[in-house]
């Protein structure tokens, strides 16, 4: 099966006053038709920069150093702004983290959706209003026709995010990129937005890239997960691979740090802080925060080791000569319970 989008050896940097910031380093992933690919990691890991590079919306001081972004047989890493006009918001759409900053506060909601329809040439101008109301209804806006002339401030946070999703879907895109779309919402509304994205994906056969710092958010919606740290993907696998058979110490740490209502144990916190990407570490970027780190972790960056046909991780712990290290007990117990609840045999 051919991927709909293929990112190979992508490196992105920013020219800052203090020097060159290496934000994304040799990132590789494929996105397939109809799947949800989650990219997970702490703030500053390079998740959003990767998707901005795909859409050509990097800051002025940012640039692609190397790599390819293949879509429809063309390398978007070489695109000029005029080339992106044919793709951005038409074939590939973006749902932003903060709906308030994504919406024009002094423009009526309906007009913002109709403008997206007209600019994308998805429909004739005379039919744009009717289609906008249909989109509002599709994303769950009650009394859509009556609220067509409302302003963003007249909607709740969850409803504003639904409007942003409606605008993103206006052009019938093939790919929907969701950049932490539920971060600013409370847990109940968050669940509804995730359900909406899932519904839209199924109904429209969308391919989705979902960016988040919270593994728990993608547990019930991702098909595959890329775990990103210090600008590099350190582990990739199916949802089951990552949640039930994690292999990289950073993935162990992320899973251990997830809030758990089933235990009274103190919430785990990952020690230390991510490295300064003005000067990327020589070896494994996570080594300084990894209690299982070996001497080689500080000297040489690990390659990707194959765990299965769907599961790869970049950690020296998977080398045949590495000492046997088991994941933390807190994570073992959590995975055992998750497997039991999901009906998997524990082994």
């Amino acid at each position: 099966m051919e991927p709909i989008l293929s990112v190979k050896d992508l490196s992105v940097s920013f020219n800052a006053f203090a020097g060159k910031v290496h934000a994304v380093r040799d990132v590789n992933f494929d996105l397939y038709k109809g799947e949800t690919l989650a990219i997970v990691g702490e703030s500053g890991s390079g998740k959003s920069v990767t998707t901005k590079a795909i859409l050509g919306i990097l800051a002025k001081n940012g640039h692609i150093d190397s790599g390819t972004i293949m879509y429809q047989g063309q390398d978007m890493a070489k695109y000029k702004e005029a080339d992106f006009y044919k793709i951005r918001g038409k074939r590939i759409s973006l749902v932003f983290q903060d709906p308030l900053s994504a919406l024009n506060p002094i423009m009526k909601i309906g007009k913002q959706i109709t403008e997206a329809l007209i600019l994308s040439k998805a429909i004739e101008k005379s039919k744009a209003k009717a289609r906008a109301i249909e989109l509002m209804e599709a994303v769950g806006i009650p009394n859509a026709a009556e609220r067509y002339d409302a302003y963003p401030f007249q909607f709740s946070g969850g409803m504003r995010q639904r409007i942003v999703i409606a605008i993103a879907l206006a052009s019938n895109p093939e790919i929907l990129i969701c950049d932490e779309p539920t971060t600013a919402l409370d847990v109940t509304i968050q669940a509804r937005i995730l359900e909406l994205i899932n519904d839209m994906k199924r109904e429209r056969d969308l391919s989705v890239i979902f960016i988040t710092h919270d593994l728990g958010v993608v547990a019930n919606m991702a098909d595959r997960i890329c775990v990103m740290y210090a600008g590099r993907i350190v582990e990739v696998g199916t949802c089951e691979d990552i949640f039930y058979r994690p292999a990289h110490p950073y993935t162990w740490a992320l899973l251990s740090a997830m809030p758990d209502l089933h235990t009274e144990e103190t919430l785990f916190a990952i020690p230390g802080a991510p490295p300064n990407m003005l000067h990327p570490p020589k070896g494994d970027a996570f080594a300084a925060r990894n209690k299982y780190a070996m001497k080689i972790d500080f000297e040489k960056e690990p390659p990707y080791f194959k765990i299965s046909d769907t599961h790869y991780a970049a950690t020296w712990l998977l080398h045949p000569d590495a000492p046997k290290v088991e994941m933390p007990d807190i994570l073992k117990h959590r995975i055992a319970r998750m497997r039991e609840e999901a009906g998997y045999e524990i082994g």
Side-chain angles (χ1 to χ4, degrees), residues 14-23 275-281:
F14 293 87
N15 295 320
F17 179 78
K20 188 175 182 179
V21 179
H22 302 269
N276 182 349
M277 297 312 291
L278 281 166
H279 309 286

Side-chain angles (χ1 to χ4, degrees), residues 8-21:
K8 300 297 181 189
D9 302 320
L10 180 67
S11 292
V12 180
S13 63
F14 293 87
N15 295 320
F17 179 78
K20 188 175 182 179
V21 179

Side-chain angles (χ1 to χ4, degrees), residues 13-295:
S13 63
F14 293 87
N15 295 320
F17 179 78
K20 188 175 182 179
V21 179
H22 302 269
V24 173
R25 304 181 297 151
D26 297 318
V27 161
N28 292 271
F29 65 83
D30 292 324
L31 177 69
Y32 293 92
K33 182 69 175 175
E35 83 162 340
T36 296
L37 176 71
I39 304 179
V40 181
E42 292 170 284
S43 296
S45 62
K47 310 181 301 296
S48 294
V49 172
T50 299
T51 54
K52 286 178 179 178
I54 292 171
L55 286 168
I57 54 173
L58 291 170
K60 288 185 178 180
N61 64 332
H63 49 88
I64 294 174
D65 296 323
S66 61
T68 60
I69 305 168
M70 300 302 298
Y71 175 66
Q72 293 185 334
Q74 297 187 5
D75 183 6
M76 294 198 296
K78 297 178 181 176
Y79 270 15
K80 304 296 183 185
E81 179 59 27
D83 300 316
F84 277 111
Y85 182 76
K86 303 171 186 176
I87 300 294
R88 189 192 306 134
K90 296 179 175 68
R91 308 316 305 144
I92 305 176
S93 289
L94 176 64
V95 176
F96 291 95
Q97 180 179 141
D98 181 10
L100 268 181
S101 62
L103 295 171
N104 186 331
I106 59 171
M107 182 184 290
K108 293 177 180 179
I109 287 294
K111 185 172 177 56
Q112 295 191 53
I113 301 175
T114 56
E115 279 200 351
L117 287 163
I118 294 166
L119 287 172
S120 67
K121 299 179 180 179
I123 198 169
E124 296 175 21
K125 190 174 181 179
S126 60
K127 300 177 181 177
K129 180 175 179 178
R131 178 59 181 150
I133 292 172
E134 285 178 13
L135 282 168
M136 290 173 69
E137 291 172 343
V139 297
I141 302 296
N143 305 314
E146 290 80 359
R147 305 189 78 176
Y148 177 87
D149 290 319
Y151 289 92
F153 73 87
Q154 294 175 292
F155 289 77
S156 66
M159 287 297 165
R160 282 194 291 263
Q161 194 59 288
R162 289 173 184 268
I163 293 297
V164 171
I165 293 171
I167 292 172
L169 296 175
S171 61
N172 292 314
E174 286 188 302
I175 299 173
L176 185 66
I177 298 176
C178 301
D179 190 357
E180 305 221 34
T182 61
T183 298
L185 307 175
D186 64 51
V187 176
T188 304
I189 303 302
Q190 181 183 90
R192 291 175 185 168
I193 295 299
L194 294 176
E195 184 180 1
L196 171 62
I197 293 170
N198 257 343
D199 290 343
M200 294 295 102
K201 171 200 162 186
R202 285 191 297 268
E203 289 173 13
R204 295 165 178 261
D205 198 22
L206 288 168
S207 300
V208 177
I209 298 177
F210 196 99
I211 306 296
T212 182
H213 63 274
D214 184 356
L215 265 170
V217 167
V218 297
N220 296 315
M221 67 181 301
D223 297 296
R224 290 188 301 125
I225 299 173
C226 292
V227 179
M228 200 165 185
Y229 183 77
R232 190 178 186 223
I233 292 175
V234 297
E235 186 166 3
V236 60
T238 65
C239 199
E240 290 181 7
D241 290 332
I242 299 301
F243 277 93
Y244 298 149
R245 297 175 289 275
H248 197 286
Y250 180 59
T251 311
W252 294 352
L254 286 179
L255 287 166
S256 299
M258 286 170 52
D260 190 349
L261 298 177
H262 297 275
T263 179
E264 295 181 0
E265 294 176 344
T266 303
L267 189 65
F268 175 81
I270 305 174
N276 182 349
M277 297 312 291
L278 281 166
H279 309 286
K282 183 179 179 182
D284 185 341
F286 190 60
R289 306 173 73 186
N290 178 13
K291 70 177 182 178
Y292 309 105
M294 300 173 286
K295 183 180 179 182

